[in-house]
Amino acid sequence: MNIDKPEERKAWMPYVNAVLSLCAIGQEVGYFVMNPKMQYRMWGRMRGFLKQQDIHDKEKLVATIEWFLETGRRSEYYRDYCQLSTLSAAERSRYIEALTDEHRKRQFTVVNRYLWSLSTGGIGAYDYSWTMLNCFAGKEVGYLSENEMWTYIGQVISLIKADFSDWETYVTSYAVGQQYLLQNNPFSFVSRNRKIIMQLMNSNQNPMLHLKP
């Protein structure tokens, strides 16, 4: 998707803010829903955000963005989904119980719990929301030009539209992705942030309520 003109970019910003809003869950979500631009217009915060991913230059940022667009963490989830989907419920339970790697056991537990619940996009929403934030972070710290940023954003939007038909499905995908990737209790993300998620999805300021994915 090409988003080249200033008026087109302005028109797409509510959609972009909706995608980005999920990245604030567990943080100052209420503030960032009301002030979405502040989520990606703090140079120091965006610099720190990139450093946490070991991104220190444009080359590493571009490689990271392109990996998430082409492969991402959704490929790991899909691999585990394919493995479990061929087994009966009893076989899945026995397989998971026999795992000795606790992290993998937690991941397979999440996949098993949502085995038939997610859309074909899997946990793609996790990849797409954080990739979108990486794009803005890269622009904020000077690694990406305005045009480069919007080129990647257009690709993210195209993937979202191909994989998701509504925001409820998108939010579910994001939450399951967070659970799948957590190192500790896999279901703590939703239980800990349930109130915030409900606040986000019921806020009149949330652009998701006024847009289709």
Side-chain angles (χ1 to χ4, degrees):
M1 175 182 292
N2 295 322
I3 308 176
D4 299 326
K5 299 178 181 178
E7 59 270 24
E8 293 175 333
R9 295 172 179 179
K10 182 178 180 179
W12 276 106
M13 280 310 300
Y15 186 103
V16 169
N17 288 333
V19 174
L20 288 170
S21 66
L22 297 183
C23 299
I25 292 177
Q27 304 175 48
E28 305 93 333
V29 62
Y31 175 78
F32 287 127
V33 168
M34 297 295 293
N35 304 277
K37 292 180 181 180
M38 294 305 296
Q39 188 168 352
Y40 47 82
R41 285 195 173 175
M42 302 180 194
W43 187 93
R45 187 170 182 273
M46 291 295 93
R47 180 75 169 178
F49 167 67
L50 293 175
K51 283 185 176 180
Q52 287 176 356
Q53 304 173 69
D54 196 30
I55 296 173
H56 302 279
D57 54 36
K58 177 175 182 174
E59 183 179 7
K60 183 63 180 292
L61 174 63
V62 168
T64 299
I65 290 173
E66 293 183 350
W67 180 80
F68 269 102
L69 288 173
E70 296 172 7
T71 305
R73 306 305 298 269
R74 62 194 180 277
S75 65
E76 302 168 35
Y77 185 93
Y78 182 68
R79 174 201 61 204
D80 293 347
Y81 163 83
C82 289
Q83 186 169 346
L84 290 187
S85 64
T86 62
L87 306 176
S88 68
E91 288 172 332
R92 293 197 300 270
S93 295
R94 287 195 297 271
Y95 175 79
I96 294 170
E97 188 58 34
L99 291 171
T100 56
D101 184 322
E102 289 300 317
H103 178 58
R104 292 296 288 145
K105 180 179 285 190
R106 287 192 291 269
Q107 286 187 317
F108 273 108
T109 299
V110 172
V111 176
N112 190 43
R113 181 165 180 172
Y114 297 99
L115 194 63
W116 312 118
S117 302
L118 294 186
S119 71
T120 55
I123 63 168
Y126 177 92
D127 288 339
Y128 305 151
S129 283
W130 286 103
T131 299
M132 191 84 81
L133 187 54
N134 270 336
C135 291
F136 276 92
K139 169 62 170 59
E140 182 67 14
V141 303
Y143 293 163
L144 297 178
S145 69
E146 183 87 9
N147 288 337
E148 288 172 325
M149 179 187 76
W150 278 102
T151 295
Y152 286 127
I153 288 174
Q155 293 179 51
V156 175
I157 292 174
S158 294
L159 288 168
I160 293 172
K161 287 186 168 295
D163 287 344
F164 299 97
S165 60
D166 57 72
W167 287 117
E168 182 177 356
T169 304
Y170 189 86
V171 171
T172 300
S173 168
Y174 181 87
V176 174
Q178 282 281 13
Q179 293 178 130
Y180 177 75
L181 296 167
L182 280 175
Q183 296 293 323
N184 53 8
N185 178 3
F187 301 110
S188 64
F189 176 80
V190 170
S191 60
R192 187 175 66 249
N193 295 296
R194 188 180 305 277
K195 183 178 180 180
I196 295 174
I197 294 172
M198 294 302 295
Q199 172 192 344
L200 178 66
M201 293 308 295
N202 288 284
S203 169
N204 288 330
Q205 300 297 321
N206 183 3
M208 285 184 181
L209 302 180
H210 313 289
L211 301 165
K212 294 186 71 66

mmCIF file of all heavy atoms in Angstrom, residues 9-26:
data_model
loop_
_atom_site.group_PDB
_atom_site.id
_atom_site.type_symbol
_atom_site.label_atom_id
_atom_site.label_comp_id
_atom_site.label_asym_id
_atom_site.label_seq_id
_atom_site.Cartn_x
_atom_site.Cartn_y
_atom_site.Cartn_z
ATOM 1 N N ARG A 9 -1.523 10.615 4.389
ATOM 2 C CA ARG A 9 -0.897 10.264 5.654
ATOM 3 C C ARG A 9 -1.708 10.798 6.825
ATOM 4 O O ARG A 9 -1.888 10.102 7.837
ATOM 5 C CB ARG A 9 0.534 10.800 5.677
ATOM 6 C CG ARG A 9 1.423 10.135 4.636
ATOM 7 C CD ARG A 9 2.791 10.789 4.510
ATOM 8 N NE ARG A 9 3.598 10.085 3.500
ATOM 9 C CZ ARG A 9 4.819 10.434 3.146
ATOM 10 N NH1 ARG A 9 5.406 11.493 3.724
ATOM 11 N NH2 ARG A 9 5.479 9.736 2.232
ATOM 12 N N LYS A 10 -2.191 12.003 6.706
ATOM 13 C CA LYS A 10 -3.027 12.582 7.759
ATOM 14 C C LYS A 10 -4.295 11.765 7.951
ATOM 15 O O LYS A 10 -4.734 11.522 9.078
ATOM 16 C CB LYS A 10 -3.374 14.028 7.415
ATOM 17 C CG LYS A 10 -4.199 14.728 8.488
ATOM 18 C CD LYS A 10 -4.470 16.178 8.100
ATOM 19 C CE LYS A 10 -5.308 16.873 9.178
ATOM 20 N NZ LYS A 10 -5.564 18.302 8.806
ATOM 21 N N ALA A 11 -4.888 11.323 6.854
ATOM 22 C CA ALA A 11 -6.126 10.537 6.927
ATOM 23 C C ALA A 11 -5.905 9.181 7.570
ATOM 24 O O ALA A 11 -6.799 8.636 8.231
ATOM 25 C CB ALA A 11 -6.712 10.364 5.521
ATOM 26 N N TRP A 12 -4.712 8.612 7.401
ATOM 27 C CA TRP A 12 -4.419 7.295 7.963
ATOM 28 C C TRP A 12 -3.988 7.340 9.422
ATOM 29 O O TRP A 12 -3.926 6.294 10.083
ATOM 30 C CB TRP A 12 -3.321 6.600 7.138
ATOM 31 C CG TRP A 12 -3.835 5.885 5.934
ATOM 32 C CD1 TRP A 12 -3.729 6.268 4.633
ATOM 33 C CD2 TRP A 12 -4.569 4.657 5.917
ATOM 34 N NE1 TRP A 12 -4.337 5.361 3.811
ATOM 35 C CE2 TRP A 12 -4.869 4.359 4.573
ATOM 36 C CE3 TRP A 12 -5.014 3.779 6.906
ATOM 37 C CZ2 TRP A 12 -5.574 3.217 4.188
ATOM 38 C CZ3 TRP A 12 -5.715 2.642 6.530
ATOM 39 C CH2 TRP A 12 -5.994 2.374 5.195
ATOM 40 N N MET A 13 -3.697 8.530 9.963
ATOM 41 C CA MET A 13 -3.173 8.603 11.325
ATOM 42 C C MET A 13 -4.103 8.014 12.392
ATOM 43 O O MET A 13 -3.618 7.359 13.329
ATOM 44 C CB MET A 13 -2.801 10.039 11.670
ATOM 45 C CG MET A 13 -1.455 10.470 11.115
ATOM 46 S SD MET A 13 -0.090 9.317 11.475
ATOM 47 C CE MET A 13 -0.081 9.290 13.265
ATOM 48 N N PRO A 14 -5.428 8.200 12.339
ATOM 49 C CA PRO A 14 -6.280 7.541 13.342
ATOM 50 C C PRO A 14 -6.138 6.022 13.310
ATOM 51 O O PRO A 14 -6.145 5.368 14.362
ATOM 52 C CB PRO A 14 -7.695 7.987 12.950
ATOM 53 C CG PRO A 14 -7.489 9.284 12.249
ATOM 54 C CD PRO A 14 -6.202 9.115 11.482
ATOM 55 N N TYR A 15 -6.006 5.453 12.127
ATOM 56 C CA TYR A 15 -5.800 4.014 11.987
ATOM 57 C C TYR A 15 -4.464 3.613 12.617
ATOM 58 O O TYR A 15 -4.379 2.644 13.380
ATOM 59 C CB TYR A 15 -5.817 3.651 10.505
ATOM 60 C CG TYR A 15 -5.748 2.177 10.208
ATOM 61 C CD1 TYR A 15 -6.892 1.480 9.840
ATOM 62 C CD2 TYR A 15 -4.545 1.472 10.259
ATOM 63 C CE1 TYR A 15 -6.844 0.120 9.544
ATOM 64 C CE2 TYR A 15 -4.485 0.125 9.982
ATOM 65 C CZ TYR A 15 -5.632 -0.553 9.615
ATOM 66 O OH TYR A 15 -5.568 -1.897 9.343
ATOM 67 N N VAL A 16 -3.421 4.373 12.300
ATOM 68 C CA VAL A 16 -2.096 4.108 12.848
ATOM 69 C C VAL A 16 -2.119 4.189 14.373
ATOM 70 O O VAL A 16 -1.556 3.337 15.071
ATOM 71 C CB VAL A 16 -1.077 5.104 12.260
ATOM 72 C CG1 VAL A 16 0.253 5.029 13.008
ATOM 73 C CG2 VAL A 16 -0.857 4.830 10.774
ATOM 74 N N ASN A 17 -2.797 5.210 14.902
ATOM 75 C CA ASN A 17 -2.881 5.357 16.357
ATOM 76 C C ASN A 17 -3.604 4.185 16.998
ATOM 77 O O ASN A 17 -3.270 3.770 18.116
ATOM 78 C CB ASN A 17 -3.576 6.667 16.710
ATOM 79 C CG ASN A 17 -2.712 7.880 16.422
ATOM 80 O OD1 ASN A 17 -1.482 7.793 16.443
ATOM 81 N ND2 ASN A 17 -3.339 9.005 16.140
ATOM 82 N N ALA A 18 -4.594 3.640 16.302
ATOM 83 C CA ALA A 18 -5.309 2.470 16.826
ATOM 84 C C ALA A 18 -4.375 1.273 16.932
ATOM 85 O O ALA A 18 -4.376 0.550 17.935
ATOM 86 C CB ALA A 18 -6.504 2.134 15.923
ATOM 87 N N VAL A 19 -3.563 1.080 15.910
ATOM 88 C CA VAL A 19 -2.605 -0.034 15.918
ATOM 89 C C VAL A 19 -1.570 0.158 17.025
ATOM 90 O O VAL A 19 -1.216 -0.783 17.747
ATOM 91 C CB VAL A 19 -1.913 -0.149 14.545
ATOM 92 C CG1 VAL A 19 -0.809 -1.201 14.580
ATOM 93 C CG2 VAL A 19 -2.937 -0.495 13.462
ATOM 94 N N LEU A 20 -1.106 1.385 17.187
ATOM 95 C CA LEU A 20 -0.078 1.684 18.188
ATOM 96 C C LEU A 20 -0.597 1.622 19.612
ATOM 97 O O LEU A 20 0.165 1.374 20.548
ATOM 98 C CB LEU A 20 0.502 3.078 17.940
ATOM 99 C CG LEU A 20 1.403 3.242 16.717
ATOM 100 C CD1 LEU A 20 1.691 4.723 16.481
ATOM 101 C CD2 LEU A 20 2.707 2.487 16.902
ATOM 102 N N SER A 21 -1.897 1.857 19.801
ATOM 103 C CA SER A 21 -2.443 1.964 21.151
ATOM 104 C C SER A 21 -2.205 0.702 21.976
ATOM 105 O O SER A 21 -2.068 0.774 23.198
ATOM 106 C CB SER A 21 -3.948 2.282 21.105
ATOM 107 O OG SER A 21 -4.678 1.199 20.541
ATOM 108 N N LEU A 22 -2.136 -0.458 21.330
ATOM 109 C CA LEU A 22 -1.944 -1.706 22.073
ATOM 110 C C LEU A 22 -0.567 -1.775 22.717
ATOM 111 O O LEU A 22 -0.399 -2.428 23.748
ATOM 112 C CB LEU A 22 -2.145 -2.904 21.149
ATOM 113 C CG LEU A 22 -3.537 -3.050 20.549
ATOM 114 C CD1 LEU A 22 -3.625 -4.318 19.719
ATOM 115 C CD2 LEU A 22 -4.604 -3.053 21.627
ATOM 116 N N CYS A 23 0.412 -1.097 22.132
ATOM 117 C CA CYS A 23 1.764 -1.126 22.699
ATOM 118 C C CYS A 23 1.820 -0.456 24.068
ATOM 119 O O CYS A 23 2.758 -0.669 24.827
ATOM 120 C CB CYS A 23 2.751 -0.447 21.759
ATOM 121 S SG CYS A 23 2.890 -1.241 20.141
ATOM 122 N N ALA A 24 0.818 0.361 24.384
ATOM 123 C CA ALA A 24 0.802 1.081 25.658
ATOM 124 C C ALA A 24 0.154 0.271 26.770
ATOM 125 O O ALA A 24 0.191 0.692 27.926
ATOM 126 C CB ALA A 24 0.066 2.410 25.501
ATOM 127 N N ILE A 25 -0.452 -0.878 26.452
ATOM 128 C CA ILE A 25 -1.087 -1.690 27.497
ATOM 129 C C ILE A 25 -0.033 -2.095 28.520
ATOM 130 O O ILE A 25 1.025 -2.587 28.178
ATOM 131 C CB ILE A 25 -1.756 -2.936 26.895
ATOM 132 C CG1 ILE A 25 -2.951 -2.524 26.036
ATOM 133 C CG2 ILE A 25 -2.212 -3.898 27.995
ATOM 134 C CD1 ILE A 25 -3.630 -3.672 25.334
ATOM 135 N N GLY A 26 -0.366 -1.880 29.771
ATOM 136 C CA GLY A 26 0.575 -2.158 30.841
ATOM 137 C C GLY A 26 1.399 -0.945 31.203
ATOM 138 O O GLY A 26 2.165 -0.964 32.158
#
